[in-house]
mmCIF file of all heavy atoms in Angstrom:
data_model
loop_
_atom_site.group_PDB
_atom_site.id
_atom_site.type_symbol
_atom_site.label_atom_id
_atom_site.label_comp_id
_atom_site.label_asym_id
_atom_site.label_seq_id
_atom_site.Cartn_x
_atom_site.Cartn_y
_atom_site.Cartn_z
ATOM 1 N N ARG A 2 -45.264 163.536 216.334
ATOM 2 C CA ARG A 2 -44.981 164.575 217.197
ATOM 3 C C ARG A 2 -43.798 164.261 218.088
ATOM 4 O O ARG A 2 -43.544 163.132 218.655
ATOM 5 C CB ARG A 2 -46.155 164.716 218.236
ATOM 6 C CG ARG A 2 -47.451 165.054 217.552
ATOM 7 C CD ARG A 2 -48.471 165.547 218.493
ATOM 8 N NE ARG A 2 -48.532 164.756 219.723
ATOM 9 C CZ ARG A 2 -49.183 163.695 219.954
ATOM 10 N NH1 ARG A 2 -49.797 163.023 218.952
ATOM 11 N NH2 ARG A 2 -49.151 162.959 221.159
ATOM 12 N N GLU A 9 -35.706 158.644 228.694
ATOM 13 C CA GLU A 9 -34.275 158.897 228.782
ATOM 14 C C GLU A 9 -33.490 157.930 227.985
ATOM 15 O O GLU A 9 -33.925 156.637 227.824
ATOM 16 C CB GLU A 9 -33.813 158.615 230.332
ATOM 17 C CG GLU A 9 -34.305 159.776 231.223
ATOM 18 C CD GLU A 9 -33.798 161.162 230.863
ATOM 19 O OE1 GLU A 9 -32.616 161.196 230.624
ATOM 20 O OE2 GLU A 9 -34.565 162.011 230.699
ATOM 21 N N GLN A 27 -27.579 128.421 236.323
ATOM 22 C CA GLN A 27 -26.498 128.418 235.351
ATOM 23 C C GLN A 27 -25.533 127.180 235.542
ATOM 24 O O GLN A 27 -25.110 126.447 234.669
ATOM 25 C CB GLN A 27 -25.717 129.742 235.310
ATOM 26 C CG GLN A 27 -26.430 130.788 234.634
ATOM 27 C CD GLN A 27 -25.618 132.236 234.739
ATOM 28 O OE1 GLN A 27 -25.194 132.513 235.823
ATOM 29 N NE2 GLN A 27 -25.428 132.828 233.675
ATOM 30 N N THR A 96 -29.045 115.469 217.726
ATOM 31 C CA THR A 96 -30.165 115.964 218.352
ATOM 32 C C THR A 96 -30.059 117.492 218.482
ATOM 33 O O THR A 96 -29.042 117.950 218.960
ATOM 34 C CB THR A 96 -30.394 115.369 219.700
ATOM 35 O OG1 THR A 96 -30.378 113.952 219.650
ATOM 36 C CG2 THR A 96 -31.557 115.927 220.534
ATOM 37 N N LEU A 127 -36.514 132.783 187.769
ATOM 38 C CA LEU A 127 -35.787 133.567 188.888
ATOM 39 C C LEU A 127 -34.813 132.841 189.571
ATOM 40 O O LEU A 127 -35.001 131.541 189.775
ATOM 41 C CB LEU A 127 -36.971 134.066 189.802
ATOM 42 C CG LEU A 127 -37.916 135.130 189.255
ATOM 43 C CD1 LEU A 127 -39.015 135.314 190.289
ATOM 44 C CD2 LEU A 127 -37.204 136.440 189.013
ATOM 45 N N SER A 143 -34.990 127.516 197.339
ATOM 46 C CA SER A 143 -34.079 128.616 197.023
ATOM 47 C C SER A 143 -32.846 128.049 196.326
ATOM 48 O O SER A 143 -32.539 126.914 196.354
ATOM 49 C CB SER A 143 -33.628 129.295 198.234
ATOM 50 O OG SER A 143 -34.790 129.830 198.923
ATOM 51 N N ILE A 155 -22.536 137.029 198.496
ATOM 52 C CA ILE A 155 -23.374 135.972 197.936
ATOM 53 C C ILE A 155 -23.992 136.553 196.565
ATOM 54 O O ILE A 155 -23.928 135.931 195.518
ATOM 55 C CB ILE A 155 -24.391 135.433 198.867
ATOM 56 C CG1 ILE A 155 -23.712 134.803 200.158
ATOM 57 C CG2 ILE A 155 -25.378 134.428 198.166
ATOM 58 C CD1 ILE A 155 -22.816 133.515 199.874
ATOM 59 N N VAL A 156 -24.644 137.700 196.749
ATOM 60 C CA VAL A 156 -25.216 138.255 195.537
ATOM 61 C C VAL A 156 -24.267 138.511 194.433
ATOM 62 O O VAL A 156 -24.600 138.358 193.220
ATOM 63 C CB VAL A 156 -26.061 139.448 195.976
ATOM 64 C CG1 VAL A 156 -26.538 140.313 194.734
ATOM 65 C CG2 VAL A 156 -27.219 139.180 196.754
ATOM 66 N N ASP A 170 -36.501 139.513 203.227
ATOM 67 C CA ASP A 170 -36.406 140.850 203.880
ATOM 68 C C ASP A 170 -36.143 142.015 202.834
ATOM 69 O O ASP A 170 -35.065 142.022 202.322
ATOM 70 C CB ASP A 170 -35.279 140.885 204.992
ATOM 71 C CG ASP A 170 -35.242 142.146 205.657
ATOM 72 O OD1 ASP A 170 -36.126 143.031 205.459
ATOM 73 O OD2 ASP A 170 -34.280 142.402 206.518
ATOM 74 N N ASN A 172 -35.790 145.065 203.334
ATOM 75 C CA ASN A 172 -34.820 146.089 203.897
ATOM 76 C C ASN A 172 -33.372 145.677 203.571
ATOM 77 O O ASN A 172 -32.539 146.396 202.907
ATOM 78 C CB ASN A 172 -35.099 146.486 205.212
ATOM 79 C CG ASN A 172 -36.357 147.274 205.374
ATOM 80 O OD1 ASN A 172 -36.495 148.323 204.767
ATOM 81 N ND2 ASN A 172 -37.209 146.753 206.112
ATOM 82 N N VAL A 177 -28.553 145.518 200.015
ATOM 83 C CA VAL A 177 -27.617 144.673 199.230
ATOM 84 C C VAL A 177 -27.655 145.179 197.799
ATOM 85 O O VAL A 177 -26.564 145.242 197.138
ATOM 86 C CB VAL A 177 -27.966 143.158 199.247
ATOM 87 C CG1 VAL A 177 -27.117 142.387 198.298
ATOM 88 C CG2 VAL A 177 -27.864 142.595 200.655
ATOM 89 N N GLN A 179 -28.212 148.214 196.701
ATOM 90 C CA GLN A 179 -27.479 149.469 196.743
ATOM 91 C C GLN A 179 -25.955 149.134 196.798
ATOM 92 O O GLN A 179 -25.169 149.702 196.030
ATOM 93 C CB GLN A 179 -27.732 150.302 197.892
ATOM 94 C CG GLN A 179 -29.007 151.147 197.968
ATOM 95 C CD GLN A 179 -29.107 151.804 199.269
ATOM 96 O OE1 GLN A 179 -29.887 151.226 200.244
ATOM 97 N NE2 GLN A 179 -28.483 152.891 199.542
ATOM 98 N N GLN A 180 -25.546 148.149 197.588
ATOM 99 C CA GLN A 180 -24.145 147.813 197.733
ATOM 100 C C GLN A 180 -23.530 147.231 196.485
ATOM 101 O O GLN A 180 -22.334 147.336 196.131
ATOM 102 C CB GLN A 180 -23.952 146.801 198.839
ATOM 103 C CG GLN A 180 -24.314 147.242 200.233
ATOM 104 C CD GLN A 180 -23.509 148.343 200.658
ATOM 105 O OE1 GLN A 180 -22.293 148.101 200.819
ATOM 106 N NE2 GLN A 180 -24.077 149.371 201.163
ATOM 107 N N MET A 185 -32.813 143.696 192.016
ATOM 108 C CA MET A 185 -33.422 142.486 192.386
ATOM 109 C C MET A 185 -34.880 142.663 192.611
ATOM 110 O O MET A 185 -35.337 143.724 193.129
ATOM 111 C CB MET A 185 -32.689 142.024 193.687
ATOM 112 C CG MET A 185 -31.299 141.840 193.698
ATOM 113 S SD MET A 185 -30.618 140.989 195.093
ATOM 114 C CE MET A 185 -30.914 142.172 196.411
ATOM 115 N N LYS A 204 -31.943 160.606 215.625
ATOM 116 C CA LYS A 204 -31.545 162.050 215.520
ATOM 117 C C LYS A 204 -31.478 162.739 216.884
ATOM 118 O O LYS A 204 -30.559 163.340 217.250
ATOM 119 C CB LYS A 204 -32.438 162.759 214.577
ATOM 120 C CG LYS A 204 -32.170 164.282 214.329
ATOM 121 C CD LYS A 204 -31.173 164.605 213.331
ATOM 122 C CE LYS A 204 -30.964 166.030 213.075
ATOM 123 N NZ LYS A 204 -30.505 166.912 214.183
ATOM 124 N N ASP A 248 -15.256 156.142 221.135
ATOM 125 C CA ASP A 248 -15.504 155.611 222.421
ATOM 126 C C ASP A 248 -16.992 155.270 222.685
ATOM 127 O O ASP A 248 -17.279 154.545 223.626
ATOM 128 C CB ASP A 248 -14.912 156.546 223.515
ATOM 129 C CG ASP A 248 -13.472 156.501 223.747
ATOM 130 O OD1 ASP A 248 -12.900 155.444 223.525
ATOM 131 O OD2 ASP A 248 -12.922 157.584 224.000
ATOM 132 N N ILE A 251 -23.923 154.258 219.200
ATOM 133 C CA ILE A 251 -25.455 154.016 219.283
ATOM 134 C C ILE A 251 -25.697 152.729 218.530
ATOM 135 O O ILE A 251 -25.419 152.629 217.337
ATOM 136 C CB ILE A 251 -26.181 155.176 218.769
ATOM 137 C CG1 ILE A 251 -25.775 156.417 219.461
ATOM 138 C CG2 ILE A 251 -27.715 154.955 218.749
ATOM 139 C CD1 ILE A 251 -26.299 157.823 218.856
ATOM 140 N N GLY A 257 -30.113 142.920 223.193
ATOM 141 C CA GLY A 257 -29.173 141.829 223.722
ATOM 142 C C GLY A 257 -27.667 142.022 223.176
ATOM 143 O O GLY A 257 -26.759 141.710 223.791
ATOM 144 N N LYS A 288 -36.382 136.840 223.069
ATOM 145 C CA LYS A 288 -36.499 136.812 224.450
ATOM 146 C C LYS A 288 -37.458 135.731 225.085
ATOM 147 O O LYS A 288 -37.638 135.837 226.275
ATOM 148 C CB LYS A 288 -36.936 138.290 224.946
ATOM 149 C CG LYS A 288 -35.773 139.322 224.585
ATOM 150 C CD LYS A 288 -34.510 139.001 225.306
ATOM 151 C CE LYS A 288 -33.334 139.875 225.214
ATOM 152 N NZ LYS A 288 -32.767 140.463 224.143
ATOM 153 N N ALA A 318 -28.712 121.925 200.058
ATOM 154 C CA ALA A 318 -27.887 122.287 198.849
ATOM 155 C C ALA A 318 -27.600 123.824 198.774
ATOM 156 O O ALA A 318 -26.461 124.252 198.730
ATOM 157 C CB ALA A 318 -28.522 121.793 197.525
ATOM 158 N N GLU A 325 -19.821 127.504 201.231
ATOM 159 C CA GLU A 325 -18.658 127.469 200.399
ATOM 160 C C GLU A 325 -18.319 128.884 199.711
ATOM 161 O O GLU A 325 -17.203 129.266 199.831
ATOM 162 C CB GLU A 325 -18.944 126.477 199.188
ATOM 163 C CG GLU A 325 -18.850 124.977 199.702
ATOM 164 C CD GLU A 325 -19.366 123.976 198.751
ATOM 165 O OE1 GLU A 325 -19.800 124.398 197.479
ATOM 166 O OE2 GLU A 325 -19.553 122.804 199.147
#
Side-chain angles (χ1 to χ4, degrees):
R2 302 193 318 274
E9 288 301 310
Q27 284 177 310
T96 301
L127 291 174
S143 303
I155 297 294
V156 166
D170 188 6
N172 291 301
V177 176
Q179 275 175 268
Q180 299 291 307
M185 305 191 288
K204 171 88 171 65
D248 284 324
I251 302 168
K288 292 301 184 310
E325 284 165 9

